[in-house]
Amino acid sequence: MLFWNLIGTAAFLAAFGGLVLRWLAQGGLGLPSPFSDPLPERRGELSGPETWIKVFAAALLFRVAVGVGSVVLYDLLSGAGIGIEGLPQLWQRWDAPHYIHLVELGYGGYIEDGRPLFLVFYPLYVWLTRGVAVLIPDTALAGMAVSWICFAWGSVYFYRLVAEEYGGGAARRSLLLLWAFPFSFFFGGIMTESLFLLTTAAGLYHIRRHQWGRAAAWGILAAMTRMQGVLLIGAACAELWCEVKPLAVKGRERKQAFWSMGRKVPMLVAPVLGSGVYFALNYRVTGDPFAFAEMQQHWSQGFQWFPEVLGYLAKNALTWPKVSTRWEMWIPELLLFPIFGWLLWKSWKKHRSMFTLYAFVYFLLTHCLSWLLSAGRYLSCAVPCFFFAAEELEGKPGRTAALAAVMGLLQCVFCYRYLCWGQVM
């Protein structure tokens, strides 16, 4: 195990070091090839409200189609006959009931084993659903409504981000891959995926446009949705560095460049305020702002270096007693690591550092959990990876269609197993 950890750590240092050198070169530091290789020439496209409305409507209709399709698929294969009226109940699986109870009972009122164990769930989705539940009395349906609307709005921001950087064709291809991803059905569930997609895509969009105030606002919301929301701080710092290029100038100009960057620091680090809201919630409920760490131990969650995580994923994929669990959880999680790792390797010289660094860190942190059960769900929100994949598929419509078809079929399989309480979570 020690040898395996050393290999994994060395690979991490080499990959991360290469990305950092690439970032330094984009900031004006003179470095040799390949770190200083220019980015590929691209022609982005501005889009207007008419296009945004179309994307929003298409995304919302897609979510409705998946919701209705899930009922049809479940009834067809299980013979349950729940009908469309049973849709909210059908999607109350795994973490979903916990979110419903948090909406209805609050963090202090939802107690298990005498403790508020569900402080591990970040609050923004819960609070939004509580607000929507005023209009939609069914809490589960209110939670799905929040997810569907956030998914549609997030798809608009995602489209704008990709279109203005890579063009409309790449944006449409990226959306196709995102929607078809085998675990993207979680975007329609009573969970935080759609809200995190929205806040992350919006945050990255405004960072790329250098609209620091708006980026700060979305970053705060992202950090109130999930712990990984604070990673937008890194993306913002990386983009500001590449915009100002402080190492490309000398003397007084360099000092002015660093001063210009320093003045923006409060907006760059604003997502920590979202984390502060979460810590305040912990303090209000328990008197300890970091009580969530104790609650995570109850759920066997904590930090574990990714080579060790890959080790137990491989072991479970080969030896887990229940074969269905191997195929529903451990084998897909094990396969996703090299697939996304290969994609990051192919992309490190082709994209701005704010995207590559964010994607790399998000990917690694996803695989640094002591008991990783939801890698596919977490990776569905790895926003840059989907337009990295679209870049690799440019000019290859046949491969794009085939990949989307295969992923869509797998999504149907995993969604059905999720609805049947399979080990898809």
Side-chain angles (χ1 to χ4, degrees):
M1 180 60 73
L2 177 60
F3 181 67
W4 174 240
N5 281 342
L6 290 174
I7 292 177
T9 302
F12 162 77
L13 292 174
F16 188 65
L19 291 173
V20 169
L21 290 174
R22 178 75 168 158
W23 169 66
L24 290 172
Q26 290 183 7
L29 181 63
L31 291 173
S33 178
F35 306 109
S36 60
D37 291 351
L39 291 170
E41 291 188 9
R42 300 186 179 94
R43 183 174 298 175
E45 299 177 11
L46 292 176
S47 57
E50 182 178 350
T51 300
W52 307 341
I53 292 172
K54 289 180 180 178
V55 173
F56 186 94
L60 192 58
L61 286 173
F62 178 74
R63 285 268 62 89
V64 172
V66 172
V68 173
S70 69
V71 174
V72 173
L73 181 66
Y74 185 79
D75 281 351
L76 181 65
L77 297 181
S78 70
I82 64 170
I84 193 64
E85 64 276 4
L87 175 64
Q89 181 65 35
L90 180 62
W91 280 76
Q92 293 183 44
R93 303 291 187 263
W94 299 113
D95 286 346
H98 300 320
Y99 282 109
I100 292 173
H101 293 323
L102 286 172
V103 171
E104 295 176 345
L105 303 175
Y107 283 89
Y110 185 26
I111 303 297
E112 187 173 299
D113 293 335
R115 293 185 293 169
L117 295 176
F118 302 96
L119 277 170
V120 295
F121 295 105
Y122 275 58
L124 185 58
Y125 177 77
V126 173
W127 293 344
L128 286 176
T129 302
R130 185 174 297 161
V132 174
V134 174
L135 303 175
I136 304 177
D138 186 316
T139 306
L141 192 59
M144 297 187 76
V146 170
S147 291
W148 291 11
I149 293 171
C150 286
F151 175 77
W153 193 2
S155 293
V156 172
Y157 260 118
F158 182 85
Y159 180 90
R160 294 175 66 185
L161 173 67
V162 182
E164 293 181 25
E165 190 77 14
Y166 305 95
R172 290 186 289 272
R173 195 161 55 250
S174 300
L175 274 179
L176 173 64
L177 297 176
L178 175 68
W179 294 1
F181 185 62
F183 297 93
S184 286
F185 66 87
F186 281 109
F187 286 129
I190 309 168
M191 294 186 182
T192 61
E193 268 59 45
S194 285
L195 180 59
F196 193 64
L197 171 69
L198 167 60
T199 54
T200 300
L204 290 173
Y205 174 82
H206 290 296
I207 289 170
R208 181 64 188 95
R209 302 274 72 77
H210 307 153
Q211 297 167 338
W212 306 112
R214 296 180 185 181
W218 283 108
I220 292 170
L221 296 177
M224 291 172 60
T225 304
R226 276 192 191 167
M227 183 182 298
Q228 297 93 327
V230 297
L231 295 182
L232 289 174
I233 295 174
C237 291
E239 177 59 23
L240 181 60
W241 174 274
C242 295
E243 176 201 9
V244 177
K245 299 186 185 300
L247 301 183
V249 294
K250 295 181 179 180
R252 183 168 181 169
E253 291 184 357
R254 178 173 292 183
K255 291 181 180 179
Q256 290 176 341
F258 277 109
W259 174 247
S260 173
M261 293 173 61
R263 287 183 299 176
K264 295 182 175 66
V265 166
M267 287 184 287
L268 300 183
V269 302
V272 299
L273 296 177
S275 298
V277 172
Y278 178 59
F279 298 152
L281 172 65
N282 278 256
Y283 181 79
R284 181 180 179 182
V285 174
T286 68
D288 179 2
F290 306 108
F292 67 91
E294 177 186 346
M295 309 307 165
Q296 285 177 336
Q297 293 176 4
H298 174 84
W299 303 109
S300 302
Q301 288 294 4
F303 180 86
Q304 187 170 356
W305 193 224
F306 78 92
E308 298 175 353
V309 175
L310 293 179
Y312 76 67
L313 288 181
K315 179 182 177 181
N316 292 342
L318 295 173
T319 64
W320 196 263
K322 193 172 183 180
V323 176
S324 62
T325 301
R326 298 185 199 177
W327 288 101
E328 291 167 357
M329 180 184 294
W330 304 119
I331 292 175
E333 291 193 335
L334 186 62
L335 292 177
L336 284 171
F337 187 89
I339 291 172
F340 275 74
W342 172 84
L343 186 60
L344 291 171
W345 167 252
K346 292 283 290 184
S347 305
W348 77 281
K349 291 193 301 180
K350 300 178 181 179
H351 306 273
R352 296 183 71 85
S353 286
M354 66 165 282
F355 296 133
T356 56
L357 283 169
Y358 175 88
F360 180 81
V361 175
Y362 183 93
F363 169 70
L364 258 294
L365 288 181
T366 295
H367 289 86
C368 285
L369 290 175
S370 56
W371 196 234
L372 182 59
L373 304 177
S374 308
R377 177 159 64 93
Y378 299 152
L379 290 174
S380 67
C381 293
V383 170
C385 292
F386 292 95
F387 53 81
F388 291 174
E391 172 90 353
E392 297 301 317
L393 290 169
E394 184 176 5
K396 303 171 183 176
R399 294 185 183 181
T400 302
L403 177 60
V406 171
M407 290 199 301
L409 179 61
L410 289 173
Q411 183 176 158
C412 292
V413 173
F414 284 119
C415 181
Y416 176 70
R417 290 305 303 154
Y418 169 78
L419 299 176
C420 293
W421 288 100
Q423 298 300 303
V424 183
M425 60 185 70

